[in-house]
Amino acid sequence: TESLSGFIVVIYLFMFLFFAYSVFCGFLCIKTRRNALKHSQINQFLQIFGLAIFGFAFKYVAGVYLSFGLNLTESFELDFGAGVSQFGFSFNNGADKLQLDINLVAIVLIYWINQLMKRIKTEIEIKKATSIDDA
């Protein structure tokens, strides 16, 4: 029964906006809107890195993740993780923690989105060339 401070509400709103953007990207993909792949690409870029440094930590994943990371807090440790949707944000907490996580699923999806964008661009160019030849 704790009361929510204004700062906590802002943090939850911040978290909600990330996941809402992910849903928005999915909606654009279903409706096959013109900028769907570009927005999806941006969303995946936001999910590549998880970072903890100088008391600041951020990790965002909407969907499935498979990650590996380097934890340099006390020594050199390799971490591996897998799971579904995650949002982590902290400020002024664990100033000695130094960690970097890389989401492999986001990297694969970015590659796939880039391939789709190239294929669509090629198909548009072929259609334009065909329509010019028909005229």
Side-chain angles (χ1 to χ4, degrees), residues 15 33 38 42 51 80 82 93 101 111 114 118 121:
M15 179 179 70
R33 299 285 180 189
K38 193 55 139 172
I42 291 167
L51 180 68
F80 295 94
N93 187 10
D101 293 322
Y111 176 78
N114 283 334
K118 287 178 185 176
K121 184 178 178 182

Side-chain angles (χ1 to χ4, degrees), residues 86-102:
Q86 180 180 18
F87 187 89
F89 178 80
S90 65
F91 183 75
N92 206 15
N93 187 10
D96 60 338
K97 187 172 183 178
L98 179 59
Q99 184 170 350
L100 175 67
D101 293 322
I102 299 174

Side-chain angles (χ1 to χ4, degrees), residues 108-120:
V108 169
L109 288 174
I110 289 170
Y111 176 78
W112 184 52
I113 290 168
N114 283 334
Q115 294 303 314
L116 285 173
M117 291 170 80
K118 287 178 185 176
R119 189 167 72 191
I120 289 169

Side-chain angles (χ1 to χ4, degrees), residues 123-135:
E123 288 175 4
I124 290 171
E125 289 173 358
I126 290 171
K127 284 182 183 179
K128 284 181 182 178
T130 305
S131 66
I132 292 172
D133 291 341
D134 291 341

Side-chain angles (χ1 to χ4, degrees), residues 17-71:
L17 289 175
F18 274 88
F19 286 108
Y21 183 64
S22 182
V23 171
F24 172 72
C25 292
F27 179 76
L28 288 179
C29 288
I30 290 170
K31 292 292 185 178
T32 62
R33 299 285 180 189
R34 181 177 180 161
N35 294 323
L37 292 176
K38 193 55 139 172
H39 281 286
S40 294
Q41 189 177 46
I42 291 167
N43 188 37
Q44 293 306 316
F45 274 118
L46 292 171
Q47 298 178 53
I48 291 177
F49 297 106
L51 180 68
I53 187 168
F54 304 125
F56 170 80
F58 175 80
K59 185 172 185 177
Y60 161 64
V61 179
V64 177
Y65 70 91
L66 177 64
S67 65
F68 75 92
L70 295 172
N71 187 341

